[in-house]
Amino acid sequence: MKTNEPHNPPNWANKLLEFYCQSSLLEDLQGDLYEHYTRNISKGKFKADAIYWLDVLKFLRIYTVQKPKILNNMNTFILLLNYWKTSLRSIKRNKLFSAINIVGLAISMSVGLLMITFIDELYSYDDFHSNSDRLYRIIDTYQRTDNDPMDLASTSIFVGKQMEESFSEVEHAVTLRRNFSGDAKFGDKVIPIHGLWSSEKFFKVLSYELIQGNINTVLQTPYSLVLTERTAAKLIGGGEYIGKIIRLNEKDNYTITGIVKNPPKNSHMQFEALASFSTYENTVKDKEKFLSWTSVWMYYVYVILKENTDPKQFQNNLDRLAKSENTKHEHHNVTIKSQAITEIVPSNDLYNNIGPNFGKEPLYRLGLLTLMIIFSAAFNYTNLSIARSIRRSKEVGIRKVIGATRPQVFTQFICESLIISLAAVILSFGLFLFLKPEFLNLDEEIQDVVLLNFRAVHALYFIGSAIVVGVLSGLLPAILLSKIKIISVLQNIGSIKLMSGLPLRKILIVAQFALSMGFIISTFIIYRQYQYSINYDLGFSTKNILNIEVQGNDHEILKSYFEQIPEVKFISKSRIIPSTGDKLVAYGKFKDSTDSALLLYNFIDEHYLQNLRFEIIAGMNFSVKANMEKEAFTIVNETLLKRFAIKSPLDGINESIVLDGIKLKIIGVVSDFHHNNLDNKIEPFLFRYKPEEFHVLNLKVESTDMLGTMTKLSNAWEKADNIHPFKAEFFDSQVQSSYLSYTIMIKVIGFLAFLAISIATFGLLGMAVYVTESRLKEISIRKVLGASENNLIYLLSRGFVFLLVISAVIAIPLTYLIFDQVVLAEVAYRAPIGAFEILSGALIIFIIGIGTIGLQTLSAVTVNPAENLKEE
Amino acid sequence: MKGTNIGEFEELILLTVAALMEEAYSVGICDEIEQVSGRKVKLGVIHPVLNRLENKGFLISKLGDATKERGGRRKRYYQVTHSGKVTLKNVKVQRDVLWGKIDDMIFDGI
């Protein structure tokens, strides 16, 4: 009989039933259906199955369907509410620790937010260009015979023309030249403007918005001018702009053919005006040099490649072009490559950048430092939480008794750390608003590059990082606490020792202190270097010298005005200001026509060497009649003689140097001086005499009322020039400003040092609390047995002092090495890293550390032993 | 007597449960009703009614022992509660009163 064979109802129907049915009704309902099934088998399996299926579907009713899973999660949700409550309570109960944690995390996260907005803004440069995936800049590497190769952001017109004419991959190309600048006059109004020369296809390649004018013809004809909105408004005011004539530098008339929207902040090139390149081309005299493959200093080429161009193929073609051109030029080697437009900022150092930039390396370093600080604070939280865990152990035990599972306890403590982390984030946002202007003011260059406006997406990053920090820092305590066994809590076995945490925490303490020590020592070292640099004997005098920019006026007239002011004792003139980073370079040859060296120079008048107290060791100074018609003489420094293997200064007199095609006879030699920052070594240098090139007046000023004198000077200036603002700066402060990078480093690292120390100290405090609390009974018993307070303090602190010593041992050599080998290695003139700097850092940490431990242990050992032993 | 009204079908089920005494479970009730009234009542009809009656408090159920026939699944046995019995009695009384008022002559010959 068939009924003996076990027939089973259709499996899927069963599964469905099990899925939707309430567990309380499931069993008997399923049994009923099964009973019917066995009865129905006699009608045939197919029919029985069908009936079963129908029944299962029919029973899908309100009263059978189990409560939706959401209500199961309601449980978790309700628990979360509970965690919120208990977390808040525990925070309130331990106000001090919570405050320390929140403040520590907040400070470190505000630095993090600063970094996030900074990095985000840097990486968003030039993303407004449509076709930014096909838009490239052509950059090159220039090398001349044996000199060092230089990476340049600029390239040659030759390359620009090649892009337009011979490269099939290029859809559009534009060539720019910088330094289109001068005084623009419209009607009565004269303002200085600064911009670029550009070939026709500017607006086809780059996405700057042309609001007036025809995109195809706007830069076609010579003397066409496109102004930015702002400049046009400043110069002309209102009304129609197109077709108006602007007079530039009293020489040329330009017609406005278009108005462009102001370039956005995140554009790597900034300009107030664009002039048609054809204007410039027409004025060039030396056509051959103009179009030369090796004239790579002033021009910038941007291209849009056709869709689906293989960048490798493009690069191969570029290499081929370079190869064939280099064979035509003996002494030069130029290689070109393409750079995606979004890669321009941030990027590594290229000379001749068209606008402000920020390198990738300093960015990575800053990022690393920030991360270290944040980790420091996060680990601090971990430390402190573990320290407090003893007090929480009873709570955990009872929760477990009531039925909390281990994951639930774990979640509870993660919630707590998340809440603290989020509270810290809110606080840190306030701190960020405070930090932002401080950061921007560190260096003018920073302001050129970023605005640091807070965007909505930053809030997202921020909350995200807060969650990450919260989870990270709460992970360890949560794990440890959730491991607590109920038995040990209820039996009150001594005090709970979370042994597994201990060595890890010691490592954390050592790391924190090593970091703090490192920062302090760094600050001292940098400060020492800075003081050294600004006080170093430069080989000439900068005292009381005021440098005034001539700004295109007649320097003789200016000199006569200034001479009338009694406080002005002496006036000399020059082109650039040495020792501040300004450079003029050219290639010069001596005798052997193939050996050309890169030489630095300055144009000076006959009073210069005396004014700034240079030491002439051979020959004589320039005289007034020195270069009547064309330049013929030069004064050189000792290094130049060495470079050209001239044995002694006297041998050098009357020898000739050929510089940029001009023959100059050496009439004098000065002793070596620091024409550049002390970070660089002294290079071959020569002085030239050319009155047209005098851009700066150096005034020796002796005055008891500096403010009054400045007013007199500025009034004298206005008599001669009432268009340009009066620009004057003391040589001393200019020298100091050139070491701006040091001041910045001091500020930043000093700040980080302060942060690191505070965080580390709190960590140490927590650690001390933990140790003393876990050894309370031991302390009391020892006291009863007769130990003195001093003995006890020694006993408890022993371990800590050892840790501090270890961090010193780690930090000191490491910091020394970093500075000696990496940071200061490039600096030519270094202050020695002395014992003072190193030991002072260690000393400060020791004092702070021992003070903290001492205070904590003191409060522990003075407790009445009876208090602790009572509970037993 | 609000809330204690039961429908005809519910009454039928309650009576069947009372009649079956120890053996009153869903399938058994099905069979019994079919036998007595000739109506082929489906499980899907009875089951929710049983549930409703239990929610109303007229029935009380408990799970029995595991049996082999149903793949080891236990049966749910129902019993009439006190209030169920009271309700049934009331209904019977109401019917009897009405029947008593009817003249025998009307039903003569049926």
Side-chain angles (χ1 to χ4, degrees), chain A residues 694-765:
Chain A
F694 295 156
H695 287 195
V696 181
L697 292 177
N698 325 108
L699 274 61
K700 190 169 208 89
V701 180
E702 272 161 40
S703 158
T704 44
D705 171 23
M706 220 38 238
L707 208 55
T709 315
M710 288 300 277
T711 321
K712 288 187 204 169
L713 287 168
S714 128
N715 288 336
W717 168 266
E718 269 175 45
K719 270 198 281 180
D721 178 350
N722 57 359
I723 304 171
H724 301 104
F726 176 53
K727 281 200 195 146
E729 252 196 282
F730 273 101
F731 207 149
D732 279 336
S733 64
Q734 284 174 316
V735 168
Q736 280 188 358
S737 320
S738 73
Y739 292 109
L740 195 60
S741 56
Y742 286 137
T743 9
I744 294 177
M745 275 175 87
I746 291 177
K747 277 195 197 164
V748 169
I749 296 193
F751 177 65
L752 290 177
F754 173 71
L755 279 188
I757 297 175
S758 350
I759 293 174
T761 314
F762 291 139
L764 189 63
L765 186 69

Side-chain angles (χ1 to χ4, degrees), chain A residues 43 99 237 398 759:
Chain A
K43 299 183 200 164
I398 293 183
I759 293 174

Side-chain angles (χ1 to χ4, degrees), chain A residues 278-437:
Chain A
S278 44
T279 325
Y280 187 75
E281 270 187 285
N282 293 346
T283 62
V284 157
K285 291 170 207 121
D286 185 353
K287 274 280 186 207
E288 202 187 300
K289 188 166 173 204
F290 178 66
L291 292 172
S292 165
W293 164 251
T294 55
S295 304
V296 293
W297 308 98
M298 299 294 283
Y299 308 99
Y300 301 87
V301 174
Y302 294 83
V303 299
I304 290 198
L305 296 182
K306 295 205 173 103
E307 290 204 32
N308 301 324
T309 315
D310 180 13
K312 280 214 186 75
Q313 179 66 11
F314 184 53
Q315 185 58 47
N316 285 340
N317 289 337
L318 291 175
D319 291 336
R320 223 178 326 120
L321 177 67
K323 215 166 166 191
S324 74
E325 288 303 315
N326 281 332
T327 52
K328 299 181 199 158
H329 293 87
E330 259 185 62
H331 306 293
H332 298 99
N333 190 12
V334 180
T335 50
I336 47 177
K337 50 182 203 238
S338 59
Q339 181 189 38
I341 191 134
T342 44
E343 298 273 314
I344 295 182
V345 181
S347 79
N348 295 321
D349 283 323
L350 291 175
Y351 284 100
N352 261 1
N353 247 315
I354 202 172
N357 198 349
F358 200 87
K360 268 196 180 150
E361 247 195 58
L363 201 63
Y364 289 153
R365 279 195 230 138
L366 276 179
L368 196 67
L369 283 177
T370 315
L371 275 179
M372 290 205 291
I373 291 284
I374 294 183
F375 277 138
S376 197
F379 287 140
N380 213 42
Y381 176 82
T382 310
N383 261 343
L384 287 177
S385 304
I386 297 180
R388 287 193 295 124
S389 61
I390 302 169
R391 303 190 202 173
R392 310 290 299 270
S393 55
K394 281 218 177 87
E395 175 193 343
V396 173
I398 293 183
R399 274 185 185 259
K400 284 198 164 177
V401 164
I402 294 181
T405 59
R406 193 171 153 194
Q408 282 172 333
V409 177
F410 179 80
T411 316
Q412 176 192 357
F413 287 105
I414 292 281
C415 279
E416 202 172 308
S417 65
L418 271 180
I419 290 174
I420 289 200
S421 178
L422 287 170
V425 158
I426 296 172
L427 185 61
S428 77
F429 182 69
L431 285 174
F432 164 75
L433 292 176
F434 169 72
L435 272 184
K436 190 170 84 162

Side-chain angles (χ1 to χ4, degrees), chain A residues 490-519:
Chain A
L490 294 179
Q491 285 180 349
N492 211 4
I493 296 180
S495 28
I496 312 249
K497 285 201 186 225
L498 298 173
M499 287 310 283
S500 51
L502 209 50
L504 182 65
R505 298 179 53 216
K506 283 193 179 155
I507 295 176
L508 293 176
I509 289 277
V510 167
Q512 281 180 331
F513 271 97
L515 197 68
S516 315
M517 246 185 260
F519 278 141

Side-chain angles (χ1 to χ4, degrees), chain B residues 85-97:
Chain B
K85 290 176 192 163
V86 166
T87 311
L88 276 177
K89 204 67 186 299
N90 280 335
V91 168
K92 183 166 190 310
V93 163
Q94 280 172 7
R95 296 286 180 278
D96 286 340
V97 164

Side-chain angles (χ1 to χ4, degrees), chain A residues 14 18 24-36 38-39 55 58-59 61 63-64, chain B residues 25-27 30-31 42-45 47-48 51 63 68-76 78:
Chain A
N14 244 346
E18 281 163 20
S24 49
L25 297 175
L26 175 62
E27 191 180 350
D28 58 283
L29 181 57
Q30 201 174 36
D32 293 342
L33 290 179
Y34 188 88
E35 213 177 312
H36 273 277
T38 41
R39 291 189 192 180
D55 278 337
K58 276 196 277 187
F59 266 103
R61 295 155 115 165
Y63 78 100
T64 51
Chain B
Y25 76 105
S26 49
V27 179
C30 263
D31 294 339
K42 288 253 183 89
L43 181 63
V45 179
H47 203 268
N51 210 320
L63 287 170
K68 192 176 153 211
E69 307 103 52
R70 287 151 61 96
R73 296 177 186 92
R74 295 176 284 179
K75 296 180 186 176
R76 191 175 281 272
Y78 291 88

